[in-house]
Amino acid sequence: MQAPGQTDNPLRAASWPMYRALVGVGMLCGLLIVSVYVLTLPAITRNETRALQQAVFQVLPGAVARTSFVLTAAGHFREAAEGDDPARMVHAGYTAEGQLAGIAIEGRAMGYQDVIRILYGYAPQQQVVVGMQVLASKETPGLGDRIEKDAGFRANFTALDVTLAADGVSLEHPVEAVKNGTRTAPWQIDGITGATISSSAVAGILNRSSAQWIPVIHQRQADFMRPEATDDQR
Amino acid sequence: MTSVDRVQPAVSADDFIKGLWRENPVFVQVLGMCPVLAVTNSGINALAMGLATTFVLVLSNTLVSLLRRAIPRQVRIATFILIIASFVTVVDYLIQALSLELHRALGAFISLIVVNCLILGRAEAFASKNTVLRSILDGLGMGLGFTFALLCLGGVREILGSGALFGIALFPAGFQPWIVMLLPSGGFFTLGLWLLLFNYLRARRLEERGEAQGVVP
């Protein structure tokens, strides 16, 4: 019986140390990454929750308190509890007087390099998007990362029109991206020259997410009117 | 006996010190220019990137040195990149756990540590041929030399571009910040000035050495 690496075929014998090194180092590195991931996950989750809370207040001007809601299978919103699916959650922001300032909605899509995660604020009374914040992005520094820093691009999201159509289940004008400097309508997003893919990705997120969430939120506005935000949510 | 075992000089302080000044990765070897220019718009970003790179450099040098006899020459570069990429992933998780703001500020540059030629260069040129202790000292010296260089750039750019250092205001309210120093052009400008200073110091030292040995230039 031959030991591993001992073979009559000289080519196979020569390649055995290479397989051994690559597979061995690969397994070692995999184990290292998984161990560190498991160890750091609680702290990362805590930090992400805190960042999300801050982002809610950024995208909803005037909000001083927030409560998370989850969309149930029955089609209404209830206060979120631990273990609820984050993909079915939205975050309601309230003013100091307890009025609903708006709803913050998370969306994600593939950008140029990796997934872009954004949070945008929707004001149901005016039916406009009133703010947008990038939660996670690895877009090219100096180019794609301008979706976070470019003041002109961010200005698209101060009053982006997402008015519902007469049927109440779709938008009158779906959000669309246009070339930089060619915006003519309030539902259009002026792109960024040199960051076309990244800015179009953000517009795509808004397009799909608003079409999915805004009709439901608009119909169920009463679900968000209830609670007094608790101290830890302020 | 393999070639890596033939000559093994003893551990010396020079293994550590050379990276700090004489063979400084940025000012002398001009390596890793992408993060040097991109993330040095503030002192804290420069320090964080420098320490993250040092962390990856020391650990990758250690593992490469430990495994140097088990890695065949034909697959050494692929294996080194696998090791470096794993430690970069580890440092990415650690920074996320430490501070999401810092992670966002460093952006894609954390991932780009993988392709920092300084790290692969030290793995190939030093760690794959030397003992673990010497490789750790080399990684530490080069990493701290890299951090020092980043801080030199980040400090100057933040002071002139924001009127502050590590977020602490240094000038009275009337100070007009030089915004250009925070832009990429400010990075090139500051790097050019630091390289000018280092080359002047090196030339002067060589001149003094030449005079001491009686060599006429």
Side-chain angles (χ1 to χ4, degrees):
Chain A
M1 186 179 166
Q2 288 178 330
Q6 289 182 338
T7 169
D8 295 334
N9 186 337
L11 270 179
R12 189 175 291 177
S15 58
W16 166 246
M18 291 187 244
Y19 286 127
R20 191 184 54 193
L22 282 171
V23 173
V25 172
M27 286 176 68
L28 186 68
C29 291
L31 189 67
L32 177 75
I33 290 171
V34 170
S35 308
V36 173
Y37 174 76
V38 169
L39 284 174
T40 54
L41 188 60
I44 293 173
T45 310
R46 233 181 359 256
N47 287 346
E48 281 179 344
T49 307
R50 201 176 306 136
L52 182 68
Q53 286 176 3
Q54 288 167 357
V56 169
F57 299 139
Q58 295 276 330
V59 300
L60 294 173
V64 295
R66 58 145 214 116
T67 302
S68 296
F69 287 86
V70 66
L71 181 63
T72 63
H76 66 266
F77 288 94
R78 64 160 170 79
E79 271 191 66
E82 207 168 317
D84 280 334
D85 180 8
R88 296 182 67 82
M89 273 189 204
V90 294
H91 314 275
Y94 300 91
T95 63
E97 294 78 35
Q99 300 290 312
L100 182 68
I103 312 291
I105 306 161
E106 195 180 329
R108 61 176 67 201
M110 190 64 199
Y112 184 68
Q113 305 214 95
D114 202 350
V115 171
I116 299 173
R117 278 177 59 220
I118 66 163
L119 189 78
Y120 63 95
Y122 167 62
Q125 291 82 13
Q126 297 86 26
Q127 297 198 46
V128 289
V129 169
V130 288
M132 187 280 291
Q133 176 113 349
V134 177
L135 295 176
S137 141
K138 288 190 176 172
E139 298 303 276
T140 315
L143 295 172
D145 70 348
R146 286 163 62 196
I147 56 172
E148 300 177 56
K149 299 165 185 167
D150 191 294
F153 184 67
R154 294 179 65 85
N156 284 303
F157 308 99
T158 49
L160 184 71
D161 183 19
V162 284
T163 308
L164 282 174
D167 61 9
V169 292
S170 62
L171 299 189
E172 197 167 31
H173 304 285
V175 174
E176 61 178 8
V178 293
K179 277 189 178 178
N180 183 257
T182 61
R183 184 186 193 211
T184 52
W187 57 86
Q188 293 177 333
I189 295 177
D190 231 348
I192 305 175
T193 306
T196 313
I197 295 175
S198 307
S199 54
S200 299
V202 172
I205 296 172
L206 259 301
N207 176 294
R208 286 184 296 276
S209 177
S210 59
Q212 178 197 343
W213 281 105
I214 287 174
V216 188
I217 290 172
H218 204 77
Q219 283 170 14
R220 306 293 311 184
Q221 274 187 69
D223 293 350
F224 301 106
M225 298 298 180
R226 311 164 280 153
E228 285 295 317
T230 54
D231 283 344
D232 63 326
Q233 291 168 325
R234 284 174 194 276
Chain B
M1 182 189 270
T2 61
S3 60
V4 294
D5 295 317
R6 279 181 202 137
V7 183
Q8 287 295 355
V11 175
S12 75
D14 193 55
D15 290 331
F16 173 69
I17 294 167
K18 68 179 191 293
L20 296 178
W21 188 264
R22 199 179 66 245
E23 292 179 22
N24 185 285
V26 175
F27 295 138
V28 178
Q29 300 182 62
V30 199
L31 292 175
M33 285 299 105
C34 175
V36 167
L37 291 164
V39 299
T40 55
N41 52 6
S42 77
I44 193 72
N45 283 2
L47 182 66
M49 175 52 80
L51 293 180
T53 307
T54 306
F55 179 86
V56 175
L57 194 50
V58 170
L59 292 179
S60 62
N61 264 13
T62 306
L63 196 55
V64 166
S65 180
L66 272 172
L67 299 174
R68 67 190 189 280
R69 292 190 188 91
I71 300 172
R73 276 190 63 77
Q74 297 92 327
V75 293
R76 71 190 189 289
I77 299 296
T79 315
F80 296 165
I81 290 174
L82 186 60
I83 291 170
I84 293 166
S86 301
F87 284 119
V88 170
T89 310
V90 166
V91 89
D92 189 64
Y93 285 139
L94 290 178
I95 293 177
Q96 280 188 67
L98 206 65
S99 162
L100 271 186
E101 288 79 19
L102 183 61
H103 189 262
R104 279 172 59 99
L106 295 176
F109 290 104
I110 298 173
S111 315
L112 289 176
I113 295 175
V114 177
V115 290
N116 187 328
C117 44
L118 166 64
I119 299 173
L120 185 60
R122 296 323 293 174
E124 165 70 356
F126 198 92
S128 63
K129 300 180 178 73
N130 288 286
T131 59
V132 175
L133 190 55
R134 291 194 72 205
S135 301
I136 291 173
L137 288 175
D138 177 77
L140 199 59
M142 288 288 166
L144 292 178
F146 187 72
T147 308
F148 165 71
L150 258 61
L151 276 175
C152 286
L153 266 85
V156 170
R157 291 179 70 187
E158 190 180 356
I159 290 170
L160 296 177
S162 308
L165 186 60
F166 293 108
I168 302 163
L170 299 180
F171 299 107
F175 175 73
Q176 188 67 36
W178 303 9
I179 301 298
V180 68
M181 297 305 283
L182 300 180
L183 301 175
S185 49
F188 281 102
F189 184 64
T190 315
L191 178 65
L193 289 176
W194 276 112
L195 288 176
L196 190 71
L197 177 67
F198 258 74
N199 281 330
Y200 167 73
L201 293 175
R202 282 180 68 199
R204 203 176 67 170
R205 199 177 59 216
L206 286 174
E207 207 172 282
E208 283 170 2
R209 201 176 291 168
E211 280 173 10
Q213 291 171 358
V215 178
V216 180

